[in-house]
């Protein structure tokens, strides 16, 4: 083994064999080199046999890399050197010793998807009440499974959980009764889940480490065998261990064994998957005799970058090893000593001065006005550096985002400018363009009346189905209330162009062939036949030959999808398209988006990835973007189901754990940069309020002023494009530029609040629903809401009839006197319930049980409603009152559920809600009623009766009313925002704005590749 490349601290760490060792390895200090060199050193010096060494890490990729490095360093061969992940190590132990603690040793290892399906199929065995919403009984499965996994990470057994729940004391007023019941329900569900796994001879990933801890605790003879075997135990990325992993290491480590823990508390960034920085911070408490070696010589970054990183991370004191151990973790740059591929410091500085003559600093902050300006700056700066630095390649550049959803504007801009890029996401296979095409073909063969699937197929990049014909088709289908498949057959009525007819016939042909073959063939065969017969394969081949990067990405994704299908077919005897689509629907509901394998060798291209994904990587030029509050640091999102603090083993930090984790993540991003680091922020990211610059920028001493000259890059946003965010030859409907100019969209003549709300949620969603009018399926929740609204409308119509009142003529003197005396006539409760039966809409519920549950719920709501109103009835001024008003130059329409007159003569606007009551009306809910208030102020019919006095949401489910009244400035602001939105609609600005909540509740999520 060559040792001349090791610095003194590295050499000491490699050769130390006198006891436990904590190697605090800062970013870029060669920790992987040290741990692999140490293994090789132990073998070469014959301090240990291969089978006496255990090296544990977290990912298969890290383990494989470690094995490859050791293989290159060690001249002799070896058989049983244990270099593996924690999970693989525990799986081997359980496969050998599981019977010793009553577990099956021939168990199946369930993925998260398998576990979700298991719970869904056995939901009736879970005694759920608190966590079983009527509207969607499976909604909480994913969160329950995450909670169970966290419990296993903390070595909490169902018995421990149940005991804790039972010990929760009730207050004198029974204030803790619901919490006690909730905890008991979780503990019971946890037990049921574990039993279901065992009944199916299965374990999940959390079980591997959880049961291994039990094995070694309950069977000391097995533990002793492991302790005697492994003389040297090495743990990489020690800052990422959770409590179960930490305890496992403690169990197998004795006074005689040599434990080497390598990590950096400042790079602990995986709390969301169970890692706890507290474990590395407590290392010296459990191993007080351990030696500490700190690696501070950094071979990656310029000193100014390292100084900035250190200045930032010091804000996490005192919750850092530097403080707790009294060590110095300040990194020292050995940047100029990097390998021969690096530029000399002099040449690098010269290049940077050419790029930004006013500033040769290695850390640059640029604050822009809008997100568009920020995107322009990044793309222009990359192009400027590439032009100035003739030795630079595209792979030298990286754009780091906090979340995958923040990447899209940069992808689109790079595409438009012809800059090659790779978006290195680790998940989301099912939302890739080519996979969505495949899934929607399967959906169409299973049910060709699925309009969204037909719509997607018409957009296939090689069909060239004319945009004008697409508009005709969707308009006709909407008008005639028929599926797109049925509408396509009526070319005589629609008068399709020859191009549309040709594309239509091909779609019909491949769907029918798929339907016929699906009776006997497997999904992989059906899919291949579709790709071949449709011309998709020819299109991909042609694009690949031409070097089309987008097409190459599609081919890569397609290969992975075929592998996924093959795995499904191997696991399911008699696999069919219908069976696969049912399976896909189930796992999609469970949050599965499909794991993506990134190629180890990507083409020379700009790298776009999350900061989490950048861990372990390095780039010459790094652009950290969207550095504003609520993006980076991200908003605090507590676990939907929290583990009681009393059951958690980890030591909680003194400071804010969320902000400290976000700061460590920021530190990781900063230390990815070799030559130059760009920190980007902007004021306007859409929405009503400007964003505040990230607190981390302030901690670095930056203020929100531009420190670099903004580029003048003509990147268009919206500007008449029919479909947004186009990438490559096809994204949404991405047509050649010359064809785009021909597209004319027929916008609605009048707009409703629901349209405005849709546009606010996502302009692309608005376009599909209101411009193209793509048919959508309904939902049980919507049907229930319509049923309740219709029931109350008819009921109060009867009230008006019984009191001889016509809308608009209420409160003649006789009626007013009668009302004041409480002499209002109302139908009996039985009549109300009969009205409900007539108005009941039974469509779109998932099954009979859900339909019956909602029907019963409606009856209960109406009984409570009737009881609470007895003796307090009113006769409405108006019911389902339709209005049309002018806002600026636009026409706004709407319908008000009910208008009553208050005792003081003013009007109360009432809108029914069937969802859960809110404590305060805000946001879009408030805006809706403010629009109604504007309508009453404008419409002469109401001016003659009275002015608005109260805006009320009536939450039927809870029998709760929440009221308020808009002030003049609020009304003016709403009008201003409406005009702004309608201006954007008329400018054809339909750029997608995906988000987890918006996409989860979008009718077009199955056909939209922009979804989150």
């Amino acid at each position: 083994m060559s040792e001349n490349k090791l610095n003194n601290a590295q050499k000491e760490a490699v050769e130390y064999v006198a006891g436990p060792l904590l190697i605090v390895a800062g970013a870029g200090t060669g920790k992987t080199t040290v741990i692999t060199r140490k293994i090789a050193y132990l073998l070469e010096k014959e301090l240990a046999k291969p089978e006496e060494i255990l090296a544990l890490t977290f990912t298969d990729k890290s383990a494989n890399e470690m094995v490859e490095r050791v293989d290159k360093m060690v001249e002799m061969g070896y058989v049983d050197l244990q270099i593996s992940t924690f999970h693989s190590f525990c799986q081997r132990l359980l496969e050998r010793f599981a019977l010793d603690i009553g577990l099956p040793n021939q168990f199946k290892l369930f993925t998260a998807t398998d576990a979700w399906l298991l719970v869904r199929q056995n939901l009736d065995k879970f005694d759920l009440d608190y966590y079983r919403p009527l509207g969607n009984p499976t909604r909480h499965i994913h969160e329950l499974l995450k909670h169970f996994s966290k419990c296993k990470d903390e070595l909490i057994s169902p018995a421990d959980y149940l005991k804790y729940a039972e010990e929760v004391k009730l207050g004198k007023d029974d204030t803790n009764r619901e919490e006690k019941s909730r905890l008991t329900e979780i503990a019971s569900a946890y037990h049921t889940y574990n039993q279901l796994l065992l009944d199916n001879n299965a374990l999940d990933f959390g079980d591997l480490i959880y049961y291994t801890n039990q094995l070694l605790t309950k069977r000391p003879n097995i533990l002793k065998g492991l302790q005697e075997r492994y003389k040297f135990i090495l743990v990489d990325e020690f800052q990422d261990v959770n409590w179960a992993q930490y305890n496992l290491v403690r169990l197998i480590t004795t006074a005689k064994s040599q434990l080497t823990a390598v990590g950096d508390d400042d790079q602990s960034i995986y709390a969301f998957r169970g890692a706890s920085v507290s474990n590395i911070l407590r290392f010296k408490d459990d191993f007080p005799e351990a030696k500490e070696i700190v690696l501070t010589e950094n071979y990656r970054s310029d000193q100014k970058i390292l100084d900035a990183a250190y200045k930032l991370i010091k804000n996490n004191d005192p919750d850092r090893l530097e403080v707790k151990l009294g060590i110095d973790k300040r990194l020292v740059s050995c940047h100029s000593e990097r390998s021969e591929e690096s530029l000399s410091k002099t040449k690098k500085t010269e290049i940077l001065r050419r790029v930004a003559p006013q500033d040769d600093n290695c850390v640059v902050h640029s604050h822009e006005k809008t997100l568009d300006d920020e995107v322009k700056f990044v793309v222009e700066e990359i192009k400027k550096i590439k032009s100035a630095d003739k030795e630079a390649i595209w792979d030298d550049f990286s754009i780091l985002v906090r979340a995958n959803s923040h990447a899209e504007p940069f992808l689109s801009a790079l595409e438009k400018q012809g800059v090659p890029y790779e978006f290195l996401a680790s998940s989301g296979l099912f939302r890739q363009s080519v996979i969505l095409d495949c899934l929607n073909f399967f959906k169409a063969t299973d049910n060709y009346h699925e309009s969204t699937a037909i719509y997607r197929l018409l957009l296939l990049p090689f069909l060239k189905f004319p945009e004008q014909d697409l508009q005709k088709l969707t308009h006709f289908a909407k008008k005639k209330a028929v599926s797109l498949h049925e509408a396509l057959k009526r070319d005589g009525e629609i008068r399709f162009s020859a191009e549309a007819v040709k594309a239509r016939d091909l779609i019909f042909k491949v769907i029918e062939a798929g339907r016929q073959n699906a009776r006997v063939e497997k999904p992989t065969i059906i899919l291949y036949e579709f790709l071949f017969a449709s011309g998709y394969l020819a299109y991909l081949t042609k694009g690949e030959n031409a070097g089309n990067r987008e097409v190459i990405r599609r081919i890569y994704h397609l290969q992975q999808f075929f592998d996924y299908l093959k795995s499904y077919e191997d696991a399911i005897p008699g696999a069919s398209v219908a069976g696969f689509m049912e399976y896909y629907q189930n796992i999609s509901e469970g949050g599965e988006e499909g794991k993506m394998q990134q190629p180890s060798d990507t083409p020379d291209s700009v790298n776009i990835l999350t900061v989490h994904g950048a861990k372990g990587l390095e780039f010459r030029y790094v652009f950290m973007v969207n550095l504003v509050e609520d993006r980076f640091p991200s908003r605090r999102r507590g676990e939907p189901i929290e583990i009681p603090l009393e059951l958690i083993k980890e030591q909680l930090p003194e400071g804010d754990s969320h902000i400290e984790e976000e700061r460590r993540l920021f530190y990781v991003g900063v230390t990815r940069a070799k030559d130059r680091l760009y920190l980007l922020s902007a004021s306007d990211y859409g929405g009503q309020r400007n964003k505040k610059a990230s607190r981390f920028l302030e901690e670095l001493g930056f203020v929100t002023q531009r420190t670099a000259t903004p580029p003048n890059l003509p990147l268009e946003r919206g500007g008449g494009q029919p479909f947004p965010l186009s990438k490559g030859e096809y994204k949404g409907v991405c047509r050649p530029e010359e064809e785009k100019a021909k597209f004319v969209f027929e916008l609605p003549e009048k707009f409703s609040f629901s349209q405005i709300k849709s546009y606010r949620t996502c302009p692309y969603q608005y376009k599909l629903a209101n411009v193209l009018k793509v048919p959508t399926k309904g939902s049980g929740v919507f049907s229930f809401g319509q049923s309740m609204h219709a029931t109350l409308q008819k009921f109060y119509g009867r009230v008006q009839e019984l009191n001889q009142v016509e809308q608009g003529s209420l409160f003649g003197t006789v009626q007013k006197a009668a009302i004041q005396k409480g002499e209002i006539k109302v139908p009996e409760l039985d009549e109300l319930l009969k009205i409900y039966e007539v108005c009941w809409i039974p469509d779109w519920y998932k099954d009979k049980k859900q339909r019956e549950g909602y029907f019963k719920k409606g009856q209960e709501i109406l009984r409570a409603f009737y009881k609470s109103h007895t003796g307090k009835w009113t006769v409405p001024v108006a019911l389902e009152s339709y209005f049309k008003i002018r806002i600026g130059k636009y026409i706004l329409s709407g319908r008000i559920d009910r208008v009553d007159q208050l005792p003081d003569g003013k009007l109360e606007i009432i809108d029914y809600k069937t969802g859960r009551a809110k404590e305060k009306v805000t946001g879009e809910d408030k805006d809706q009623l403010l629009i109604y208030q504007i309508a009453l102020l404008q419409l002469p019919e109401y001016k003659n009766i009275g002015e608005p006095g109260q805006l009320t949401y009536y939450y039927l489910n809870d029998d709760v009313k929440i009221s308020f009244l808009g002030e003049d400035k609020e009304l003016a602001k709403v009008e201003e925002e409406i005009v702004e939105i309608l201006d954007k609609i008329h400018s054809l600005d339909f750029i997608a704005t995906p988000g987890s909540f918006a996409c989860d509740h979008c009718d077009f999520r199955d056909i939209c590749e922009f979804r989150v």
Side-chain angles (χ1 to χ4, degrees):
M1 178 181 65
S2 175
E3 297 179 2
N4 57 354
K5 291 185 179 180
L6 295 176
N7 61 43
N8 291 336
Q10 290 174 330
K11 190 172 186 295
E12 182 183 13
V14 166
E15 297 179 356
Y16 184 79
V17 291
L21 171 64
L22 175 62
I23 303 174
V24 183
T29 58
K31 71 171 183 61
T32 305
T33 296
V34 168
I35 200 167
T36 51
R37 287 288 183 91
K38 190 174 185 74
I39 293 171
Y41 177 82
L42 295 174
L43 294 173
E44 286 192 347
K45 298 298 182 181
E46 297 184 352
L47 296 171
K49 299 174 183 177
E51 62 268 23
E52 295 173 333
I53 300 173
L54 172 64
L56 297 172
T57 187
F58 286 87
T59 66
D60 291 327
K61 181 181 178 181
S62 298
N64 293 335
E65 180 184 355
M66 202 177 293
V67 170
E68 289 174 4
R69 288 199 185 192
V70 172
D71 285 345
K72 291 178 181 178
M73 294 177 188
V74 179
E75 295 181 1
M76 65 176 183
Y78 56 84
V79 177
D80 201 16
L81 176 61
Q82 289 278 349
I83 300 178
S84 71
T85 64
F86 275 92
H87 289 96
S88 295
F89 172 68
C90 291
Q91 184 174 347
R92 284 193 294 270
L93 280 178
L94 291 177
E95 286 171 345
R96 182 176 177 184
F97 298 113
L99 292 176
D100 291 75
I101 53 172
L103 295 176
N105 61 338
Q106 295 182 342
F107 54 82
K108 292 173 287 187
L109 185 58
F110 270 19
T111 64
T113 299
D114 295 325
W116 190 91
L117 285 169
L118 178 69
V119 175
R120 183 183 182 276
Q121 292 163 359
N122 294 274
L123 199 57
D124 290 341
K125 296 180 181 178
F126 290 80
D127 187 17
L128 295 179
D129 178 31
Y130 191 98
Y131 289 106
R132 183 170 180 152
L134 181 62
N136 182 4
T138 64
R139 183 170 60 183
H140 293 319
I141 292 178
H142 193 61
E143 297 305 334
L144 283 168
L145 288 172
K146 283 176 60 178
H147 186 71
F148 300 157
S149 179
K150 289 290 179 71
C151 288
K152 292 174 183 180
D153 289 345
E154 289 290 327
L155 297 180
I156 301 168
S157 69
D160 294 334
Y161 213 134
L162 187 58
K163 181 181 178 182
Y164 171 80
E166 290 173 346
E167 291 176 351
V168 172
K169 298 185 184 303
L170 296 178
K172 293 182 180 179
D173 54 354
D174 287 356
T175 50
N176 287 335
R177 184 173 296 280
E178 184 180 43
E179 177 65 4
K180 186 182 183 75
S181 176
R182 183 185 73 87
L183 292 171
T184 302
E185 180 175 310
I186 293 175
S188 298
Y190 183 24
H191 170 77
T192 300
Y193 168 66
N194 284 347
Q195 191 59 50
L196 276 172
L197 285 171
L198 296 179
D199 291 343
N200 286 272
N201 287 331
L203 301 179
D204 63 20
F205 279 96
D207 284 331
L208 294 176
I209 300 174
Y210 175 81
Y211 283 123
T212 299
N213 272 276
Q214 282 198 2
L215 172 71
L216 301 184
T217 301
K218 294 180 178 180
R219 299 292 180 260
N221 58 320
I222 296 175
L223 173 61
K224 183 179 179 182
L226 290 176
Q227 292 172 336
E228 291 176 347
R229 173 177 177 176
Y230 294 120
K231 293 182 178 179
F232 290 90
I233 302 166
L234 303 95
V235 184
D236 193 15
E237 302 286 8
F238 198 79
Q239 76 277 354
D240 293 333
V241 297
N242 58 42
W243 173 253
Q245 293 161 338
Y246 183 82
N247 193 63
L248 178 66
V249 172
R250 287 199 313 174
L251 284 171
I252 59 178
T253 302
T254 67
K256 294 182 179 179
S257 56
Q258 304 276 321
L259 171 62
T260 299
V262 185
D264 180 13
D265 59 302
D266 293 333
Q267 296 186 77
S268 178
I269 59 172
Y270 294 114
F272 67 91
R273 67 185 190 197
S276 172
V277 69
S278 67
N279 291 323
I280 192 171
L281 296 177
R282 71 188 295 167
F283 185 88
K284 283 301 292 280
D285 294 335
D286 293 326
F287 302 95
E289 73 282 9
K291 181 178 179 61
E292 307 149 11
I293 296 178
V294 186
L295 306 183
T296 57
E297 293 184 38
N298 176 283
Y299 294 92
R300 176 187 299 157
S301 305
D302 186 276
Q303 188 63 50
K304 291 179 180 178
I305 295 173
L306 299 179
D307 289 345
Y310 186 72
K311 182 178 182 180
L312 172 85
I313 204 64
K314 285 289 288 179
N315 288 279
N316 271 2
D317 288 346
D319 297 317
R320 297 177 59 241
L321 280 176
E322 187 172 48
V323 174
K324 294 186 179 297
L325 300 183
I327 58 179
D328 185 359
K329 292 187 61 184
R330 187 190 301 267
L331 298 177
V332 179
S333 176
C334 300
H335 194 40
S336 59
E337 299 175 22
R338 290 182 314 176
S339 57
E340 57 276 2
E341 109 276 334
S342 301
L343 295 171
S344 69
K345 194 173 185 68
T346 303
K347 186 169 184 178
K348 182 200 70 173
T349 302
E350 176 188 343
I351 289 170
L352 294 181
R353 281 178 174 158
R354 285 204 302 258
V355 174
Q358 79 282 8
D359 183 9
D360 64 353
N361 196 350
C362 295
V363 182
V364 174
H365 171 227
S366 183
H367 182 78
E368 304 298 328
K369 184 178 179 181
T370 68
L371 171 60
D372 286 349
D373 296 330
E374 181 181 335
V375 172
K376 291 176 185 178
F377 176 87
V378 171
V379 176
E380 178 68 7
E381 199 73 3
I382 289 173
K383 293 174 69 178
K384 284 167 62 178
I385 296 174
K386 183 70 164 57
S387 176
D389 182 358
K390 300 303 180 184
E391 296 185 28
I393 59 176
W394 295 117
D395 259 332
D396 289 332
F397 299 90
S398 177
I399 300 173
L400 301 185
V401 295
R402 176 62 183 85
N404 282 323
S405 59
H406 299 166
E408 189 62 49
F410 298 92
L411 307 182
S412 180
L414 291 168
E415 187 75 41
K416 290 177 182 177
Q417 290 297 304
V419 176
Y421 68 89
E422 289 291 332
F423 181 31
L424 302 176
S426 60
S427 64
L429 178 65
F430 298 151
R431 58 188 290 242
Q432 301 306 310
S433 294
V434 66
I435 309 307
L436 283 170
D437 293 338
C438 296
L439 290 169
N440 279 280
F441 167 70
F442 279 163
K443 188 182 292 185
T445 61
D446 193 37
N447 180 7
Y448 58 81
H449 288 298
E450 283 275 3
S451 291
T452 55
I454 298 296
Y455 179 80
R456 177 78 196 190
L457 293 178
L458 292 174
L459 300 183
L460 288 174
F462 49 86
L463 283 183
K464 296 182 173 59
F465 194 94
E467 180 70 22
Q468 296 89 337
D469 291 286
L470 193 60
Q471 291 184 45
K472 292 178 186 177
L473 174 68
T474 55
H475 177 75
F476 181 87
K478 185 79 171 180
K479 182 178 180 181
K480 298 293 185 179
V482 297
S483 69
L484 289 187
H485 187 276
E486 177 64 26
L488 279 169
K489 294 191 294 185
R490 301 189 187 182
D491 50 346
E493 298 176 65
I494 300 178
R495 296 182 181 179
F496 288 131
S497 66
E499 293 86 352
V501 171
K502 181 180 178 181
R504 185 271 315 268
D505 290 346
L506 178 58
I507 291 297
F508 279 3
K509 179 181 177 181
V510 295
I511 289 176
E512 183 56 29
R515 283 168 54 80
Q516 295 295 328
N517 293 334
R519 300 172 183 174
V520 292
E521 300 289 359
K522 292 182 177 180
T524 48
I525 297 174
I526 304 299
L527 181 59
Y528 178 82
E529 291 295 335
F530 158 68
L531 294 170
F532 178 79
S534 66
Y536 212 139
L537 285 179
Y539 160 76
L540 292 176
T541 303
K542 182 179 179 181
E544 193 275 335
N545 289 336
N548 186 310
R549 298 171 59 83
E550 174 65 19
V551 167
I552 294 171
R553 276 194 288 266
R554 288 184 180 217
I555 294 173
Y556 190 77
H557 296 149
L558 192 59
Q559 291 171 341
Q560 293 185 55
F561 188 61
F562 265 100
D563 290 340
Y564 187 90
L565 279 177
K566 188 67 170 61
S567 298
Y568 170 79
E569 292 171 356
D570 291 342
I572 306 296
S576 65
V577 169
F580 174 76
M581 289 308 295
E582 182 180 2
Y583 171 77
Y584 166 72
Q585 185 64 35
N586 287 336
I587 63 174
S588 296
E589 289 177 8
E592 177 65 38
E593 288 194 335
K595 186 176 181 181
M596 282 181 30
Q597 299 293 332
Q598 295 295 343
S600 55
D601 261 340
T602 59
D604 181 27
S605 52
V606 176
N607 302 275
I608 303 98
L609 65 168
T610 64
V611 187
H612 279 104
K615 178 82 186 319
L617 303 178
E618 57 184 41
F619 307 93
R620 286 183 60 197
Y621 304 102
V622 169
F623 294 78
M624 295 182 67
V625 299
N626 292 188
L627 303 182
V628 292
E629 293 292 299
D630 293 339
R631 287 201 171 200
F632 208 165
S634 66
R635 232 175 251 176
R636 180 187 302 276
R637 293 180 177 86
E639 292 293 332
I641 308 176
E642 297 279 2
I643 296 178
L645 290 178
E646 293 83 354
L647 294 175
I648 293 177
K649 314 294 192 307
E650 70 172 284
Q651 300 171 350
L652 298 178
E654 294 181 29
D656 186 319
S657 59
H658 171 70
I659 294 300
E660 287 187 0
E661 170 109 351
E662 289 289 301
R663 189 177 286 113
R664 292 193 294 268
L665 186 59
F666 199 101
Y667 175 87
V668 167
V670 168
T671 53
R672 299 310 97 195
K674 296 181 182 180
D675 295 342
R676 196 166 204 188
L677 170 70
Y678 288 87
L679 305 172
L680 281 301
S681 59
S683 296
D684 183 3
Y685 287 85
Q688 299 179 8
R689 296 182 179 179
N690 283 349
K691 292 288 187 182
K692 182 181 178 182
S694 170
R695 69 191 70 190
F696 302 146
L697 291 174
E698 297 178 10
E699 291 171 1
L700 289 172
F702 291 112
V703 294
T704 54
Q705 295 176 350
R706 291 192 178 112
T707 58
T709 304
N712 184 26
L713 187 62
L715 292 179
E716 297 180 1
R717 183 175 190 269
Q721 294 182 17
F723 275 72
L725 306 177
S726 56
K727 298 187 336 186
E729 291 187 38
Y730 167 67
K731 181 90 168 176
V733 176
C734 179
R735 312 291 195 185
E737 290 294 331
E738 60 273 13
E739 190 178 350
K740 288 181 181 178
K742 300 176 185 177
F743 296 165
V744 178
F745 292 107
E746 184 179 351
L747 295 175
E749 294 182 359
K750 57 183 181 293
F751 299 86
S752 65
F753 177 76
S754 63
Q755 291 182 28
I756 292 168
K757 182 178 179 180
S758 175
Y759 188 91
R760 277 177 173 169
T761 301
C762 176
Y764 187 53
Q765 178 195 94
Y766 170 85
K767 180 179 183 179
L768 292 176
N770 297 286
V771 179
L772 297 176
K773 298 180 175 62
V774 179
T776 60
K777 69 176 183 178
S779 70
V781 173
F782 186 69
S783 294
F784 179 68
Q786 285 185 310
S787 300
M788 298 301 294
H789 278 73
T791 298
L792 291 174
Q793 180 196 1
K794 287 186 179 295
F795 174 78
Y796 273 107
R798 284 285 293 139
V799 171
Q800 288 180 327
E801 291 175 11
L802 291 172
N803 292 277
Q804 299 179 346
V805 172
E806 295 180 5
Q807 290 198 31
S809 62
L810 182 60
F811 293 118
T813 55
V814 176
Q815 288 90 352
K816 189 169 185 179
I819 290 168
Q820 288 173 343
K821 294 178 182 178
E823 297 175 359
I824 297 176
K825 299 175 183 178
V826 295
E828 296 294 332
L829 173 61
D830 287 344
E831 185 175 347
L832 172 60
L833 295 177
K834 287 178 181 178
I835 293 173
Y836 174 61
E837 291 179 10
V838 173
C839 294
W840 173 249
I841 301 172
D843 302 330
W844 300 111
Y845 294 95
K846 292 185 177 181
D847 50 37
K848 180 181 178 181
K849 184 177 181 180
Q850 188 190 47
R851 183 183 300 110
E852 291 176 349
Y854 264 106
F855 183 80
K856 183 178 179 181
K857 176 182 177 181
Q859 290 176 318
E860 293 170 353
I861 288 174
L862 292 173
R863 287 191 180 97
F865 178 89
Y866 195 94
K867 181 179 179 180
S868 67
H869 280 72
T870 299
K872 297 179 289 185
W873 294 106
T874 60
V875 182
V877 173
L879 295 172
E880 291 290 310
S881 179
Y882 177 80
F883 67 84
K884 190 163 57 175
I885 59 174
R886 183 169 292 277
I887 303 290
K889 61 182 180 180
Y890 302 109
I891 300 297
L892 197 68
S893 64
R895 194 179 299 274
I896 303 174
D897 290 344
R898 183 173 129 209
V899 180
D900 281 3
Q901 192 158 34
L902 299 168
D904 62 2
K906 293 183 179 180
L907 300 179
E908 179 183 23
I909 297 171
I910 299 173
D911 193 80
Y912 303 120
K913 292 288 185 182
T914 51
R916 183 172 296 178
K918 298 179 180 179
E919 294 181 0
K920 186 178 180 182
V921 179
T922 59
E924 291 176 339
D925 285 345
K926 186 173 186 178
D927 289 348
Q928 181 177 353
L929 290 190
L930 291 176
I931 291 173
Y932 293 171
Q933 182 178 344
I934 293 170
L936 261 63
L937 289 170
Q938 283 194 25
L939 297 171
E941 295 89 344
Y942 290 98
K943 287 183 178 179
N944 296 332
I945 302 173
E947 65 182 54
Q950 196 164 275
L951 310 178
T952 298
Y953 272 124
Y954 198 121
Y955 294 94
L956 299 171
N957 189 58
D958 302 294
D959 198 27
V960 170
K961 293 173 68 174
I962 298 181
S963 302
F964 64 97
L965 186 67
E967 299 177 358
D968 289 344
K969 61 180 180 181
E970 291 179 299
L971 301 178
K973 184 179 179 182
V974 168
E975 290 194 41
E976 181 182 337
E977 290 171 356
I978 289 173
V979 171
E980 181 181 346
I981 289 174
L982 297 182
D983 282 341
K984 289 183 178 180
I985 291 175
H986 273 265
S987 70
L988 305 180
D989 183 354
F990 299 128
I991 292 181
T993 55
S996 58
F997 181 84
C999 293
D1000 282 346
H1001 296 81
C1002 180
D1003 290 330
F1004 306 102
R1005 117 174 225 102
D1006 289 338
I1007 63 169
C1008 179
E1009 62 266 37
F1010 309 134
R1011 67 182 180 181
V1012 174

